[in-house]
Amino acid sequence: MSESVHTVTALPTERRTDCPFDPPAELLDARRHGPISRCTHPGGKPGWLVTGYELVRSVLADPRFSSRKDLLNVVDFELPPAPPGEFLLMDDPEHSRYRKPLVGRFTVRRMRMLTERIEQITAECLDAMEAGGTSADLVTAFAKPIPTIVICELLGVPYEDRASFQEQIDAFMGGEVSDEELIAAYTATQEYLARLVAAKRAHPTDDVLSELTDSDLTDEELKGISLILLAAGFDTTANMLSLGTYALLRNPDQLAALRADPSLTDGAVEELLRYLSVAKTFHRTALEDVELGGQTIAAGTTIVLSYHTANRDPERFADPHALDLSRQAAGHLAFSHGIHQCLGQQLARVEMRVAFRALVDRFPALRLAVPAEEVVLRPESADIFGVKSLPVAWDAK
Amino acid sequence: MTAPAPRLTADRGRCIGAGMCAMTAPDVFDQDPEEGLVLLLHTEPPAAHRAAARLAVGLCPSGALALHDGGGADDRPS
Ligand code: HEM
């Protein structure tokens, strides 16, 4: 059996430009051969690629697969363990020690209480767009500022620091700058967060970070937690908003349906999450030999899980490559599954529900301001998929 | 003869507070405001909320929820 297993020699680096929302053809092809394939990691190490929904979900629920950074077996040098507080790349019990004190701050109820404030932030972005004329880059005018302001308020970044803070995180998340600039921005963000933690400990304000100073977490750990909230929460949401708008503009019947029926909004957000899966792949490493889909994953081997392809699995979702805002998309893996399932998902949902609704209501004639072929996509090598910019236009009032 | 009502259990030791249950079946599940972990509002959900409760059990990311059917078969996500 293992003789005939499908092999993906190198993980794909490009998408088809005519179908930018679909996983690269090589991944869809792998799924057609079966839910698991052999692959080679970009660093040259052999591994496995899991593309089937059921198999991806089962790995995510299986404690024999680790998220630890120092166990990643993809390059031929050893990786350091995740820094204190960066629990996305840790296993239990370390992971849960960090996640536990945060959970109560991100509940469905607490995030819904932010709705009005997020509506206000969104309206301010839309007002500024309108005041500026009849066209704009949706990424810089809308998709980035909304999650940035929300995260700043959550962490209690003082108002006067926001502009420079936003510039820094933009530089280190955007992947558009030189290595030196990237390191400088990353270091500056680290230093800023260290100062912020110290300030919150000395003078607590009304925000999540201040609340967390009232726990056994050290300043170093709080800095790591802030960094991960920022890194996990900003780029993902921003790209969902911009790529999601692009997907709606390329599917005018779906956009019209959403505009006509506000009760579609919550379901539309779930379907856009499934369809786009901007956090497209994650890694896990086998802690022992594990039988998976008829193959043996040897202890120490790192596997790639394609959440995007899993969310397009025809055995789980009928007509999976169609964007259908009225479908039951629950159960998608866009926020993962298992103990690392997104901590910020209820916040992200409120942001997306509010922002998409307000955008389609404000601009009834929203359209692309350039031909679709000219919309520049991020490279497939970026951790989070999306558009680099999205020129849009609307009619004057 | 009607089958006994299905019974829900929640293991707060496994719960990771993702909020999937409170979002999917708000009449059956909540999250406690301090720790964010699952709270069962009904251990035997009334008929009107059973489908949502079953969906929520299937969606639970940590396997903390189970639905024990009157007939004896248990539902527990993988
Ligand atoms: C649409 C937007 C978002 C998407 C698509 C997304 C996606 C994800 C995914 C797929 C994971 C799990 C990765 C894995 O399986 O290893 C994750 C984890 C995480 N996310 Fe999100 N996320 C989003 C928004 C947010 C926001 C707004 C925040 C916080 C403010 C956030 C904070 C986190 C944290 C802290 C983790 C680590 C959880 C853990 O390891 O237990 N995310 N996210």
Side-chain angles (χ1 to χ4, degrees):
Chain A
M1 168 127 199
S2 51
E3 294 311 307
S4 64
V5 64
H6 179 70
T7 300
V8 178
T9 41
L11 293 168
T13 53
E14 292 305 328
R15 293 191 186 198
R16 287 170 41 177
T17 43
D18 59 334
C19 220
F21 311 114
D22 290 353
E26 296 90 332
L27 293 189
L28 292 175
D29 193 44
R31 174 64 193 100
R32 273 190 290 276
H33 281 86
I36 180 165
S37 313
R38 284 185 190 280
C39 74
T40 308
H41 294 299
K45 293 283 187 90
W48 295 91
L49 167 69
V50 187
T51 52
Y53 177 90
E54 278 308 327
L55 219 51
V56 170
R57 197 172 190 271
S58 75
V59 169
L60 290 170
D62 188 337
R64 293 174 300 173
F65 287 100
S66 168
S67 284
R68 273 169 56 185
K69 182 174 175 182
D70 51 321
L71 295 183
L72 272 178
N73 192 2
V74 293
V75 288
D76 49 17
F77 50 89
E78 283 198 13
L79 291 165
E86 297 185 28
F87 56 98
L88 174 70
L89 301 180
M90 296 179 188
D91 293 343
D92 281 346
E94 292 77 18
H95 159 268
S96 127
R97 178 173 167 261
Y98 292 114
R99 180 163 174 139
K100 275 245 153 79
L102 285 167
V103 167
R105 273 97 193 161
F106 287 88
T107 59
V108 174
R109 198 183 293 274
R110 265 182 86 154
M111 296 302 106
R112 285 205 181 133
M113 277 160 46
L114 298 177
T115 304
E116 241 173 78
R117 175 66 191 129
I118 295 172
E119 282 170 350
Q120 215 172 39
I121 295 167
T122 304
E124 283 165 18
C125 289
L126 294 169
D127 291 347
M129 283 168 72
E130 261 188 322
T134 55
S135 67
D137 170 17
L138 193 88
V139 173
T140 49
F142 184 80
K144 278 183 182 175
I146 296 170
T148 310
I149 297 169
V150 170
I151 279 277
C152 281
E153 296 193 353
L154 210 77
L155 292 176
V157 173
Y159 193 79
E160 60 275 16
D161 294 350
R162 286 209 192 138
S164 60
F165 186 65
Q166 177 163 353
E167 250 170 57
Q168 277 167 21
I169 57 177
D170 223 34
F172 95 79
M173 303 293 309
E176 301 291 309
V177 297
S178 70
D179 281 359
E180 294 91 83
E181 284 173 287
L182 190 114
I183 292 167
Y186 186 74
T187 312
T189 306
Q190 293 256 17
E191 286 168 2
Y192 181 78
L193 289 175
R195 285 200 302 277
L196 189 65
V197 168
K200 298 298 168 189
R201 199 180 282 287
H203 305 285
T205 40
D206 182 17
D207 49 68
V208 170
L209 192 53
S210 296
E211 284 181 54
L212 287 173
T213 58
D214 190 19
S215 69
D216 66 349
L217 296 163
T218 66
D219 284 9
E220 191 64 19
E221 290 173 325
L222 288 173
K223 190 187 83 181
I225 289 175
S226 311
L227 194 69
I228 200 175
L229 289 177
L230 203 68
F234 160 68
D235 208 33
T236 44
T237 312
N239 279 290
M240 272 302 300
L241 292 177
S242 48
L243 193 65
T245 303
Y246 184 35
L248 289 169
L249 291 170
R250 294 278 298 260
N251 289 269
D253 55 325
Q254 297 297 308
L255 175 56
L258 175 61
R259 185 169 278 132
D261 182 1
S263 76
L264 264 184
T265 310
D266 292 8
V269 165
E270 298 309 311
E271 171 65 348
L272 286 166
L273 282 161
R274 178 198 74 85
Y275 181 72
L276 300 172
S277 304
V278 295
K280 52 200 168 22
T281 50
F282 282 87
H283 292 102
R284 294 292 187 272
T285 303
L287 292 170
E288 54 187 84
D289 290 358
V290 182
E291 295 296 316
L292 193 68
Q295 308 298 331
T296 304
I297 314 299
T301 307
T302 294
I303 64 179
V304 179
L305 305 174
S306 172
Y307 298 178
H308 196 188
T309 316
N311 281 337
R312 299 293 193 92
D313 189 333
E315 283 177 21
R316 178 59 178 78
F317 297 101
D319 197 6
H321 305 306
L323 176 70
D324 174 3
L325 302 185
S326 63
R327 84 161 77 223
Q328 172 62 273
H332 65 70
L333 300 175
F335 287 125
S336 192
H337 181 68
I339 62 165
H340 291 279
Q341 193 184 58
C342 185
L343 173 78
Q345 58 180 297
Q346 306 303 346
L347 174 61
R349 283 189 171 98
V350 175
E351 292 184 72
M352 289 185 284
R353 289 169 181 171
V354 166
F356 282 124
R357 187 76 244 154
L359 180 69
V360 303
D361 286 348
R362 180 74 71 109
F363 298 127
L366 190 74
R367 57 191 174 268
L368 286 178
V370 295
E373 315 79 71
E374 287 174 27
V375 172
V376 184
L377 303 168
R378 282 188 163 187
E380 189 64 14
S381 56
D383 283 341
I384 306 297
F385 191 68
V387 290
K388 287 192 183 174
S389 63
L390 190 71
V392 293
W394 55 89
D395 291 341
K397 275 242 170 82
Chain B
M1 234 177 66
T2 53
R7 201 170 48 80
L8 276 170
T9 54
D11 178 348
R12 286 170 57 93
R14 289 183 78 140
C15 177
I16 57 156
M20 287 302 288
C21 57
M23 178 182 97
T24 307
D27 295 307
V28 184
F29 304 96
D30 200 351
Q31 291 170 280
D32 83 71
E34 283 309 310
E35 296 190 307
L37 302 181
V38 59
L39 285 180
L40 276 183
L41 303 177
H42 298 280
T43 44
E44 291 178 6
H49 302 314
R50 267 178 221 161
R54 195 175 294 279
L55 181 62
V57 170
L59 291 176
C60 174
S62 62
L65 302 178
L67 190 63
H68 310 269
D69 268 325
D74 286 359
D75 254 21
R76 199 196 184 113
S78 58

